[in-house]
Each structure stands twice: as C-alpha cells, then as structure tokens.
C-alpha cells in the first residue's frame, strides 16, 4: 500500500513521462519500482514504511493539524527558522509520529487586506504583531497532533514574543489552501528519529542534516533519504480547497494504468452497501444526517468531494483485480460541527467508474 503519492508540486513524474514518452502502464511500473526502492532505503536505515502511515495520511477522529505562526521581523537573526526551532524542539515528544512542514507565507497574488484577513481570521493569538506583508510570517505546520502534544508545543512557544499564535488546521480553510502551496517538507518525526532529505547524488548510506537545525542536541537521531524518493512518497499533502487533476491522475495511475482522469469517473453506491452502512454504521450515518440518503444522493456527495480531495492508501487488490484508495471528507454533523470521514473507494473496470466500499 502506498500511503500517499505527491505529484502536486513534484515535477519528477511529468518530466519523466514526457522525456521518456512513457505510456500509463510504463508509468505505473516506474512508480511501483521507485516505491519498492524507497521501502528498501528506509529498511536499511531501520525504518519500516508501514510505521509512517499517520504522518502521511489525513488526521482522523481525535487528532489535529496545526499551523504555528511566527513574526520573522521580530527575530534579529537572519536565520529565523533556526531560532524558532530552538524553541520548538524541546516540546516534541519521543513517542508520536508526524510530518513537519515549514516556510514563509507566500500570497503575492492576493491583495494585502485580504491576505491579512485570511491569516488572522482563525488565529489564536498570543503576541501582538504589526502586519506589513504575509511573507513576514514564518509557519511550522504539524499534522497528527494529539491534544497533549499540541498543548505542550503551545506552552513551549507561548513566552516567545515572535510567536504570534497558532491556527487549528484540522479542517479546510483559505489559509490552509495557501499553506498547501507555500510550505516545504522539512521531514517526518518518527518517534525519536528525524527523517530528512538529502541530495539525489549523495550516497544512500550517508545521513545528513541539511537543514542544520539542532535535532541531535535535543535527543533526536537523524537519518536522510534521497530527496527524489522522499518527494514522491514521504511528503504529506496539506489538503487544499481544490484538488490537482494531475496529482489525482498519477495517484490512480500508480495502482491502475487504464485510468486517465479521476475527475471524469462516475461514482456509484450499490443498494446493498447503503443498507449495510445504515445498519452497521448507523451511529455515524445518523450523526452526519445521511440516514435517509438514497444511493444516488450519497454517490453525488462523494463525487463532489473528489474534486476537493486527494487520494490516500493506494492499493491494488490482486485477488479481486481492483484498485482501491481512500479520500478524506469533511462533513457537517446534525449539530453543525465539522467531522472528518474516511471513504474507501474501488475502481470497477467493468463499470469504468468508482464504487463505494465503506466509510468511517
């Protein structure tokens, strides 16, 4: 199973396909071959790919995502990222696993008054800041946070005057979409190990801390992976308000070579499956107000969400000859609160469309 494939900001696959004139089937073989290599590279360094799932897939149930925002204009050191990480690292525990992204807020095409509104609309503010331009704000984004870990990080940062505050990023927002296209992948914190990237021409047996932050001084060991493999398979995709058609195409192509556009695929829900959900998943169906939905209504809801989501947990089930994957939906409960729902779908070659497996 491939937890995530990042073709959204990664030019490797499009360039490879174009340069080598690969068809869909050849592209699938290349992706699966590279994925096999990635797992080997991790295994040599003592990491099982299967242990990284929570860092690479959307949060579910009781976990959160958060963006911690800092005013770099209040930090005298030009290497402000290092100053920020010195405050953050003592708060990171040695048990959890999550992805860490970072970078300045890039919103050059958005009017200043609108970008200011977007940055501050959901901000839990700790210190004052004078807004001049979005790029003055440096962000550290972490997924798969427990409440306890979130509180520990906030407590560690709260005394720093350059810590403006944090925004809960568990659900979609305008700021989350901006960050999806602004931030870069620092690495994965796997318990007490930082998994970072190194240059493609560096020997695989080396472990390099290219970013230079003081991970080792705070009790973390460092391993590094060829950035070509890291970029494709170890990069968490922050969910935007719209999906990238190219990304969805390559994600599907990784598990099935005969699909060109996921946007064009019909979605179906068989009556037997809907009855199963209403009986066996009654609590969640009632909570989401889906208990009275018809098969057509539920299929339409899922179909609409595909254009705003990404595909995760990509897998080809050889015994059934079908590819399957998950999407993460944000649905409102009957109380008006948002809830994350994972939906499992399979591609049916006979119907040439997607079919619901389950949701939870």
């Amino acid at each position: 199973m491939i937890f995530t494939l990042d073709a959204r900001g990664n030019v490797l696959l499009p360039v490879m396909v174009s340069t080598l004139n690969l068809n869909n089937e050849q592209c699938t073989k290349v992706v699966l071959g590279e994925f096999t290599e990635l797992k080997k590279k991790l295994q040599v360094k003592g990491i099982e790919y299967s242990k990284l799932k929570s860092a690479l897939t959307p949060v579910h149930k009781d976990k959160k995502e958060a963006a911690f925002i800092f005013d770099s204009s209040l930090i005298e050191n030009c290497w402000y990222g290092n100053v920020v990480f010195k405050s953050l690292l003592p708060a990171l525990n040695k048990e959890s696993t999550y992805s860490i992204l970072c970078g300045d807020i890039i919103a050059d095409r958005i009017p200043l008054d609108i970008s200011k509104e977007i940055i501050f609309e959901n901000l839990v503010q700790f210190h004052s800041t004078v807004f001049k331009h979005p790029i003055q704000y440096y962000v550290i984004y972490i997924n798969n946070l427990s409440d306890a870990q979130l509180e520990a990080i906030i407590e560690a940062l709260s005394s720093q005057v350059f810590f403006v505050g944090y925004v809960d990023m568990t659900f979609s927002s305008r700021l989350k979409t901006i960050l999806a296209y602004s931030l870069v992948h620092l690495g994965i914190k796997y318990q007490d190990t930082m998994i970072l990237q190194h240059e493609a021409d560096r020997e695989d047996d080396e472990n390099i801390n290219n970013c230079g932050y003081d991970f080792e001084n705070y009790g973390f060991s460092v391993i590094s992976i060829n950035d070509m493999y890291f970029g494709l398979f170890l990069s968490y995709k922050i969910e935007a308000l719209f999906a990238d058609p190219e990304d969805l195409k390559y994600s599907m192509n990784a598990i099935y070579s005969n699909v060109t556009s996921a946007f064009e695929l019909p979605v179906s829900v068989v009556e037997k499956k809907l009855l199963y959900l209403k009986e066996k998943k009654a609590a969640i169906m009632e909570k989401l107000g889906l208990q009275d939905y018809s098969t057509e209504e539920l299929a339409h809801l899922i179909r609409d969400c595909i254009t705003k989501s990404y595909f995760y947990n990509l897998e080809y089930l050889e015994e059934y000859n079908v590819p399957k994957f998950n999407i993460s939906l944000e649905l409102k409960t009957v109380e008006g609160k948002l809830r994350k729902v994972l939906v499992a779908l399979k591609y049916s070659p006979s119907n040439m469309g997607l079919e619901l497996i389950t949701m939870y």
Side-chain angles (χ1 to χ4, degrees), residues 273-317:
K273 183 66 65 177
L274 183 59
L275 291 174
Y276 167 83
L277 291 173
K278 290 181 177 181
E279 291 176 7
K280 302 298 183 181
K281 306 281 185 179
I284 186 173
M285 295 293 281
E286 289 174 1
K287 193 173 187 65
L288 294 171
L290 302 177
Q291 195 66 18
D292 295 325
Y293 265 47
S294 66
T295 55
E296 292 78 11
E297 288 172 325
L298 186 56
H300 178 76
L301 174 67
I302 296 170
R303 180 70 187 81
D304 183 59
C305 289
I306 287 176
T307 63
K308 307 169 188 175
S309 187
Y310 291 103
F311 297 166
Y312 301 92
N313 300 330
L314 310 166
E315 185 177 16
Y316 184 77
L317 303 177

Side-chain angles (χ1 to χ4, degrees), residues 25-304:
E25 187 173 352
Q26 291 169 325
C27 182
T28 299
K29 289 180 179 179
V30 168
V31 170
L32 294 180
E34 298 294 88
F35 179 59
T36 299
E37 284 300 308
L38 177 276
K39 289 193 292 184
K40 289 179 181 177
K41 292 176 187 296
L42 285 171
Q43 206 162 33
V44 167
K45 300 197 175 190
I47 305 291
E48 291 291 334
Y49 174 77
S50 60
K51 304 294 185 182
L52 304 180
K53 182 176 182 178
S54 61
L56 297 174
T57 55
V59 295
H60 191 43
K61 294 183 179 178
D62 58 344
K63 295 298 179 71
K64 291 183 171 66
E65 299 185 13
F68 304 93
I69 300 179
F70 309 87
D71 187 342
S72 62
S73 69
L74 299 178
I75 301 175
E76 295 183 4
N77 191 323
C78 62
W79 191 11
Y80 48 82
N82 190 43
V83 175
V84 169
F85 269 94
K86 283 182 182 292
S87 299
L88 173 70
L89 288 173
L92 304 187
N93 64 34
K94 304 296 195 299
E95 294 81 39
S96 55
T97 297
Y98 40 69
S99 286
I100 303 176
L101 299 88
C102 59
D104 301 321
I105 297 179
I106 309 298
D108 293 339
R109 297 184 179 181
I110 302 175
L112 287 180
D113 59 332
I114 301 299
S115 61
K116 179 181 179 181
E117 177 186 304
I118 291 172
I119 292 170
F120 287 88
E121 63 184 345
N122 296 311
L123 179 71
V124 179
Q125 193 162 349
F126 280 77
H127 295 282
S128 61
T129 177
V130 178
F131 176 89
K132 296 178 181 178
H133 195 279
I135 204 166
Q136 81 189 73
Y137 297 105
Y138 179 74
V139 176
I140 294 178
Y141 189 106
I142 304 178
N143 70 345
N144 196 45
L145 287 169
S146 66
D147 288 336
Q149 178 70 130
L150 177 60
E151 291 172 9
I153 292 173
I154 293 169
E155 183 178 353
L157 298 174
S158 60
S159 62
Q160 303 296 337
V161 294
F162 52 79
F163 175 53
V164 179
Y166 79 96
V167 181
D168 188 326
M169 291 278 115
T170 306
F171 299 103
S172 61
S173 67
R174 293 185 294 173
L175 179 59
K176 188 170 182 177
T177 297
I178 291 174
L179 297 183
Y181 289 91
S182 294
L183 306 184
V184 297
H185 296 89
L186 175 71
I188 295 175
K189 188 195 78 66
Y190 170 63
Q191 298 177 358
D192 62 353
T193 301
M194 293 299 305
I195 306 173
L196 306 177
Q197 308 175 56
H198 65 234
E199 310 91 327
D201 59 355
R202 188 180 289 276
E203 294 296 326
D204 281 338
D205 59 359
E206 294 189 61
N207 289 305
I208 304 298
N209 180 358
N210 276 332
C211 60
Y213 298 143
D214 296 335
F215 300 119
E216 296 92 339
N217 291 338
Y218 291 96
F220 295 97
S221 59
V222 169
I223 69 167
S224 60
I225 297 293
N226 183 315
D227 57 14
M228 183 176 74
Y229 295 90
F230 192 106
L232 276 179
F233 303 111
L234 298 180
S235 296
Y236 176 66
K237 289 185 289 194
I238 299 174
E239 294 173 293
L241 288 169
F242 52 88
D244 184 326
E246 283 288 290
D247 181 84
L248 296 187
K249 180 184 77 172
Y250 284 110
S251 293
M252 278 295 291
N253 198 193
I255 51 176
Y256 195 72
S257 60
N258 291 335
V259 176
T260 56
S261 174
F263 275 13
E264 299 173 2
L265 295 176
V267 177
S268 64
V269 179
V270 299
E271 187 68 35
K272 185 177 179 181
K273 183 66 65 177
L274 183 59
L275 291 174
Y276 167 83
L277 291 173
K278 290 181 177 181
E279 291 176 7
K280 302 298 183 181
K281 306 281 185 179
I284 186 173
M285 295 293 281
E286 289 174 1
K287 193 173 187 65
L288 294 171
L290 302 177
Q291 195 66 18
D292 295 325
Y293 265 47
S294 66
T295 55
E296 292 78 11
E297 288 172 325
L298 186 56
H300 178 76
L301 174 67
I302 296 170
R303 180 70 187 81
D304 183 59

